[in-house]
Amino acid sequence: MEVGAVAAMRYVKDGIKAARLVMQHTEHTLLVGEKASEFAISMGLPGPANLSSPESMEKWVKWKDSRCQPNFRKNVLPENSCGPYRPTNYLGDPDETCFSAGQMLASNSGLLRVGRHSHDTISMAVIDRMGHIAVGTSTNGATFKIPGRVGDGPIAGSSAYAVDEVGACCATGDGDIMMRFLPCYQVVESMRLGMEPKLAAKDAMARIARKFPNFLGAVVALNRKGEHAGACHGWTFKYSVRSPAMKDVEVFTVLP
């Protein structure tokens, strides 16, 4: 149950190393923003550095030229522009804060959907020879996200979770949706109750799909014996496995 995470960290390339430093050298769980960058650099990681690439700058320029579309904002004016934005009087009462489920789903109908090429999550689970289990997730987040956005990557139980006596889980996909369900915590707890990895993974995906049928995501479940399985929704997902008994990495394909 040792956890370390960083979020919204800029100017430092090695996010997963920074997260490990938080775990090993602080009593905190999560550091964010500029202070996370300062901490990482103070602990010896390279920085501050310009992490923009020619490819990312080209994407950003094209996005600006396209009036900042696609865009993750909703219920704002003006539409189809780069702002500045103001909230719309969506329900006719500017102080109204209670949305019904139907109204929320209607307001989400035009949202940018997270796709296979709009995020870059890498998540890994490892069992050592003593039976200890560790997981880690690293990501730049969703393309064209609103500055300051934190997805499910640094949220324990969402993108990754592990318990030595049970197993582990890794996840990727639409983090803004998936983090509301803590799917990896669900997977591990389902395995604790006796579910095999395949059923635990499918159950976690089904819980999200019942509320958000158009979401895109995947999980990989691994029990303490090394048995593994994946489940996904909205795409065909692949994950890789390597063990001492294998001559090379094996890639597994999971159908939605």
Side-chain angles (χ1 to χ4, degrees):
M1 303 306 296
E2 287 290 322
V3 180
V6 293
M9 185 181 70
R10 305 176 70 186
Y11 311 120
V12 177
K13 180 180 180 180
D14 301 312
I16 199 74
K17 289 183 179 179
R20 188 175 184 181
L21 289 170
V22 172
M23 180 181 72
Q24 292 179 326
H25 300 291
T26 82
E27 295 185 4
H28 300 313
T29 294
L30 173 63
L31 299 182
V32 303
E34 177 185 348
K35 296 303 179 182
S37 302
E38 290 182 8
F39 169 81
I41 294 169
S42 74
M43 296 299 289
L45 294 186
N50 180 3
L51 304 182
S52 297
S53 66
E55 180 185 9
S56 66
M57 290 301 299
E58 181 181 359
K59 284 183 178 180
W60 180 78
V61 169
K62 288 182 178 179
W63 179 71
K64 294 283 284 189
D65 291 343
S66 299
R67 302 175 64 85
C68 301
Q69 301 300 309
N71 198 307
F72 280 96
R73 295 183 185 268
K74 66 179 183 180
N75 302 330
V76 296
L77 291 174
E79 296 179 353
N80 302 320
S81 82
C82 292
Y85 304 99
R86 62 179 178 84
T88 59
N89 188 1
Y90 187 68
L91 294 181
D93 181 354
D95 295 323
E96 182 65 67
T97 58
C98 183
F99 287 74
S100 71
Q103 288 165 331
M104 283 298 291
L105 290 175
S107 70
N108 286 341
S109 60
L111 278 181
L112 172 71
R113 297 297 179 188
V114 172
R116 293 180 60 185
H117 304 294
S118 65
H119 67 296
D120 59 355
T121 305
I122 298 174
S123 192
M124 183 181 294
V126 178
I127 305 176
D128 72 11
R129 65 183 61 192
M130 301 297 294
H132 301 308
I133 305 177
V135 289
T137 299
S138 179
T139 181
N140 279 326
T143 303
F144 310 128
K145 63 185 178 227
I146 297 171
R149 178 260 190 185
V150 174
D152 68 330
I155 306 302
S158 187
S159 71
Y161 197 70
V163 177
D164 275 0
E165 61 268 24
V166 181
C169 168
C170 299
T172 184
D174 188 346
D176 290 293
I177 298 299
M178 296 177 73
M179 67 193 298
R180 306 173 192 183
F181 295 82
L182 296 180
C184 275
Y185 176 81
Q186 183 64 55
V187 166
V188 172
E189 288 306 299
S190 293
M191 291 193 297
R192 186 196 298 274
L193 295 175
M195 276 193 188
E196 62 182 48
K198 184 175 182 179
L199 290 179
K202 285 187 174 182
D203 175 70
M205 289 290 92
R207 290 169 184 261
I208 306 174
R210 283 194 289 269
K211 292 289 185 179
F212 295 93
N214 294 322
F215 97 99
L216 181 151
V219 295
V220 175
L222 172 72
N223 68 18
R224 63 191 301 267
K225 296 183 290 185
E227 298 168 337
H228 58 84
C232 59
H233 184 86
W235 61 338
T236 297
F237 175 70
K238 294 182 179 182
Y239 70 96
S240 59
V241 175
R242 179 68 185 268
S243 74
M246 301 166 60
K247 293 183 178 180
D248 201 355
V249 173
E250 185 173 356
V251 178
F252 293 82
T253 299
V254 183
L255 300 177

